[in-house]
Amino acid sequence: MEPEIRSLVEISDSKPALRSHADIVLARARWAASIFQRFDRETTLHIVEAVARTAHQNAGKYAEWAVEETGFGVVEHKKLKNELTAMPLVDHYRDEDFVNPVIDEARKMVRIPRPAGVILALTPSTNPIATVNFKVLMALMTRNAVVISPHPAARACCVDAVNAMAEAAVEAGAPDGCIQVIEQPSIPLIEEFMASDKTSVILATGGTAMVRSAYSSSNPAIGVGPGNAPVYVDPSAEMQDAAQRIVDSKSFDNSILCTNESVLITLPEADKKLRQALKQAGAYLCDEEEVERLRRYLFHDRGFNVAAVGRDAVWIAQECGIRVPAKTKILVAPVTQLGVEERMTREKLCPVLAYHVAKNQTQALSQARAVLRLTGAGHSAAIHAGDSQIVADYARSVEAYRVVVNAPCSQGAAGFQTHLAPTFTIGTGYFGRSSIGENIGPHHLIHWTRVAYNSDSAVPFGDYQAADFGFDGPLPHAPSDGVPGAGRSARPSRPLTSAANTGSGGGAGVGMDSRTREELRRLIAEEVRNVIKGGH
């Protein structure tokens, strides 16, 4: 943020002042986006890789900073998440082309990529840097400009991280302003950004209230809902493996991912073996009195006790007056019922796992469905089983768009121990009152213009292999008359992408003959001279 803008915001919280600040930032982003959309795939990928390397190199630094600033999570786990949302994320999408037009001769169609423009990206305090990395790189892959709005609780680390990535992008050739950050976020200011007609789409990751605000902003929004993943352990599962995966998942970054398991459901014939396996994996099973202590500490009249968010199991036990071994990874709280009356079946962003034994499989599936209907609809569910039919029955029963099988749900639903798309923004779809039900990725930040020919075989399809769709590259320096474009040298032609070939190409011309271009320059120059004469 420029010093004069920061002073303006600090001096006045008036609506005109806030709107003016939002307009300045977004106008700069729109200019950057308009230039960025003229870059070819090779140049775009060069910028993406430069920013990803910077994010990867700083993963440990910002992991420590985030834990220190927010008090949430585990440094080594956050470092891993920060790394996974850097180079591995780029590698996952490396072979996908979000830049070149695609020719489908069989269907007589050309698809032309159209980036969104300016993305307003809201990030949470729970996974601040990983989400920043993820959203910035998604925007760059699709040649969009992005403005990051960090959660106030993680403001300092996010601002520093975004500025480092912005510097790396510009050094790699990106338009200045394609990555920006709101350095002093406030609710009134963010509302101005969300409502502005200069914002193309809002990418919201955070609490329900913030996501609902994004949806009601009058701008397109991609939002997510809360998680509350049930995990069903069937008697057909390998108990030791299931227990270890659940404990590893529930303790990862102190269970701060919304994809973590919240309620474990099993059957009487698996109960004894599963309890023993959980203990061996590092879980502490609470007795009835200890469960009541946890219940009173974690939940109050206004909801979940935020003091427990991202804290480790031993710390939470101490706060509740429960004595546990020093190496305890998670606290398991057996409960006799599930539903509205049992607060322990709600979402818990801490290493506390509710544990329930259903009477039979039919009841278990019904209860898993009920947990998600209580909160977390459309989000994630997990199952450990060796019987494929049981997995199919479970997937059909739960209202979730991700069902993780025999894997840690925290990592698996986010695409890091499964082949789901890697993400830090989980779409909850129609079940969760969201517009998208899959893992959010770069393909959600780009639309395609489809040039569709007459399907009649008698009507020929055009030759688009040598067509020019106008990859201009960076703007040239302005000539002496102040008219952009003068003195531009010719650029080599660029091969288009066919449906069978998705390789990158070089630069291309503007698709305008020299006569039209000179006429346009003359008109612009005349208009500029008239403005100067008029003193406007």
Side-chain angles (χ1 to χ4, degrees), residues 5 22 101 129 162 182 213 235 237 270 443 479 499:
I5 300 303
I129 303 302
V162 174
I182 302 171
S213 180
H443 46 289

Side-chain angles (χ1 to χ4, degrees), residues 345-418:
T345 56
R346 302 176 190 173
E347 183 181 29
K348 301 171 288 297
L349 295 179
C350 66
V352 176
L353 179 68
Y355 182 101
H356 179 72
V357 181
K359 293 179 180 179
N360 52 52
Q361 188 180 101
T362 300
Q363 186 185 64
L365 301 189
S366 176
Q367 288 176 333
R369 179 183 175 91
V371 166
L372 284 169
R373 287 195 161 190
L374 179 65
T375 180
H379 205 288
S380 307
I383 180 172
H384 296 265
D387 187 329
S388 299
Q389 185 57 54
I390 292 170
V391 174
D393 293 341
Y394 184 75
R396 188 179 63 251
S397 297
V398 295
E399 292 183 341
Y401 293 107
R402 279 147 294 274
V403 176
V404 176
V405 183
N406 297 334
C409 195
S410 286
Q411 299 93 322
F416 297 109
Q417 286 198 24
T418 63

Side-chain angles (χ1 to χ4, degrees), residues 44-93:
T44 301
L45 187 57
H46 173 70
I47 294 166
V48 169
E49 288 178 333
V51 174
R53 282 194 298 272
T54 295
H56 208 280
Q57 291 164 1
N58 290 325
K61 167 187 172 181
Y62 290 122
E64 293 180 0
W65 193 339
V67 171
E68 181 180 356
E69 185 174 3
T70 66
F72 301 157
V74 181
V75 171
E76 52 266 36
H77 294 169
K78 286 198 182 297
K79 179 176 182 291
L80 177 60
K81 289 193 292 188
N82 295 349
E83 289 173 343
L84 289 172
T85 50
M87 291 309 300
L89 182 69
V90 175
D91 289 339
H92 180 85
Y93 289 107

Side-chain angles (χ1 to χ4, degrees), residues 290 293-294 297-298 315-322:
E290 291 168 336
R293 287 171 179 253
L294 277 173
Y297 176 74
L298 293 177
W315 186 93
I316 293 172
Q318 289 174 342
E319 291 296 300
C320 296
I322 302 172

Side-chain angles (χ1 to χ4, degrees), residues 135-353:
K135 293 187 175 182
V136 166
L137 290 173
M138 279 204 309
L140 296 181
M141 288 178 200
T142 47
R143 297 175 301 158
N144 286 297
V146 61
V147 178
I148 298 290
S149 174
H151 191 286
R155 186 194 66 82
C157 64
C158 287
V159 168
D160 198 81
V162 174
N163 285 335
M165 286 189 281
E167 183 178 348
V170 172
E171 287 180 356
D176 192 5
C178 69
I179 304 173
Q180 297 183 73
V181 62
I182 302 171
E183 296 198 5
Q184 300 292 338
S186 67
I187 291 176
L189 179 59
I190 304 310
E191 287 176 345
E192 292 297 332
F193 274 90
M194 289 197 295
S196 173
D197 59 4
K198 295 182 177 67
T199 295
S200 304
V201 63
I202 303 166
L203 189 54
T205 305
T208 301
M210 181 268 287
V211 172
R212 291 287 177 262
S213 180
Y215 274 132
S216 62
S217 67
S218 78
N219 272 319
I222 301 173
V224 301
N228 191 37
V231 53
Y232 171 57
V233 180
D234 188 72
S236 66
E238 291 290 340
M239 291 300 153
Q240 294 292 339
D241 292 342
Q244 190 64 60
R245 289 164 182 155
I246 291 169
V247 171
D248 287 346
S249 176
K250 192 62 180 171
S251 61
F252 183 75
D253 205 16
N254 289 339
S255 197
I256 209 163
L257 285 166
C258 57
T259 50
N260 74 80
E261 295 89 340
S262 182
V263 180
L264 189 159
I265 302 170
T266 192
L267 300 182
E269 52 266 42
D271 182 27
K272 185 176 180 180
K273 288 183 179 180
L274 182 55
R275 286 175 185 254
Q276 185 60 36
L278 286 168
K279 290 178 183 178
Q280 292 175 356
Y284 176 84
L285 271 77
C286 300
D287 61 29
E288 189 174 340
E289 181 187 352
E290 291 168 336
V291 171
E292 180 57 28
R293 287 171 179 253
L294 277 173
R295 190 181 289 114
R296 289 182 178 179
Y297 176 74
L298 293 177
F299 297 95
H300 48 64
D301 293 340
R302 297 186 306 278
F304 188 74
N305 180 4
V306 295
V309 173
R311 297 288 189 174
D312 63 68
V314 175
W315 186 93
I316 293 172
Q318 289 174 342
E319 291 296 300
C320 296
I322 302 172
R323 297 183 63 182
V324 300
K327 294 184 178 181
T328 299
K329 293 183 177 181
I330 72 170
L331 304 174
V332 175
V335 294
T336 58
Q337 63 176 341
L338 302 179
V340 177
E341 295 80 9
E342 178 51 76
R343 291 173 289 177
M344 295 298 287
T345 56
R346 302 176 190 173
E347 183 181 29
K348 301 171 288 297
L349 295 179
C350 66
V352 176
L353 179 68

